[in-house]
Amino acid sequence: MIEVKEVKKEFKKTIKDPGLKGSVKSLFHKNTEIVKAVDGLSFHVDEGEILGFIGPNGAGKSTAIKMLTGILTPTSGEIVINGQIPYKNRKRYVKEIGVVFGQRTQLWWDLPLTETYTVLKEIYMIDDKKFKDRMEFLNDVLELEKFIKSPVRTLSLGQRMRADIAASMLHSPKVLFLDEPTIGLDVVVKDNIRKAISQINKNDKTTIILTTHDLSDIETLCERIIMIDKGKMVYDGSLHKMKDTYGKMRELNVVLNDAKDIGNFNIADKFNFTDDDYSMVSQGSELKLKFNSEKVSIASMLDYVLNTVNVNDISVKDADIEEIIRRIYKSEVKLDENA
C-alpha cells in the first residue's frame, strides 16, 4: 500500500551575521547551509494497518507527512502510495486520501455541518446513494447527529474533531493521515475518538498513519510504530516487541508503615547503580522506585525492599511506553537494527 524508499528532504537555510551590518551583507553575499529535515527514510505499510509515526519536535515527522500527502516533493528517494506518486498527480491522488490536522480544520466556519458535507459531496463527486450510506455509517460511528445542523464555529473542540474525521472519510479514502487527532481533548472524548478510528479501520480496512504526542493513542490504536529523530529512523517494529526488548525499567510502588523508613534505602550502593539505572520519588509514606531490571532482577529488588523496611503495600509495574521512548531518544537504549 505505502512504499517509502531512501527519501530525503533538504532545505537551504540562509546564515547571516547579527545586526544591521549582517542584514546588508546578506543582500549581496548570501551564506547558506543545507538542512536535512528527512535523511534516508525507508519503510513499508500494509493495507489496513494503523501505523504510529512518532518523534520529538524537530525530528522531521511533519516534513515526512507532508511528503506522503503530496504537499512537499522529496529532494531524493521514492514514495508510492496505492500505486501513485503523491507529488506528481495531486488531483487524482487526493481523491484517495483523507487528512486531519488537529490544529486546523477543513470545515467551513459559518456553514452548518450538514451543508459542509453536501459541499464536499460535490467536490468529491459522490453519488446520492453512496453519500447517504456513508453519512449513516459516519453518524453511527462518530455520533454526529446531535450537532450536525450546527454551524462549525459553535462546535466544541471534541465535536469539531469528530466532524473533521467524518469530512476526511466522506469519500472512502484508501489512506487516512491523522495528525494529533486527540490534541486538547478531555479523557472521555479522546476515548470516543480512538474507538471511532479503530472502528473505521476495521470496517473499511482503511490504512491509517497516526502522528501524535499522546502515547495513549499509540498504545490503544497501534500494533506497530515508527520513531524518527533528526530525520532518521530510530525504531521500526511492533509496540509489543519494543516493550519486551527495551522495557527493562520496572517500577515498584511501595506504601510504608513508617515514612521515616525511606531513609534506610541505599539503592545505588547496594546494587552499584548509576543515575540512569534508577530513580526514587517519595511522598509521605508512599515511594515510587524505578530500576533497571537487566542489572537487578525483580525478585532481588523485592527481597531487598521487604528486608529493609516495613511494608504496608507493594506493587510492580512494567515500564510504560513513555519511559521507553524517553530513554531511546536520550540514547540510553542501544537499538538493535533487526528489532
Side-chain angles (χ1 to χ4, degrees), residues 106-125:
Q106 60 183 305
L107 308 172
W108 281 267
W109 202 240
D110 291 311
L111 285 181
L113 193 53
T114 183
E115 290 187 28
T116 294
Y117 293 148
T118 302
V119 172
L120 290 172
K121 169 185 179 292
E122 298 305 318
I123 290 173
Y124 287 112
M125 295 180 287

Side-chain angles (χ1 to χ4, degrees), residues 113 117 135-148 158-159 162-163 166 188-189 192-193 195-196 199:
L113 193 53
Y117 293 148
M135 283 308 307
E136 286 178 0
F137 167 70
L138 294 171
N139 265 323
D140 181 52
V141 172
L142 294 162
E143 299 178 353
L144 306 172
E145 201 61 52
K146 293 179 181 178
F147 53 87
I148 198 166
Q159 289 172 335
R162 281 185 279 162
V188 175
V189 177
N192 289 338
I193 293 288
K195 287 178 180 176
Q199 191 172 340

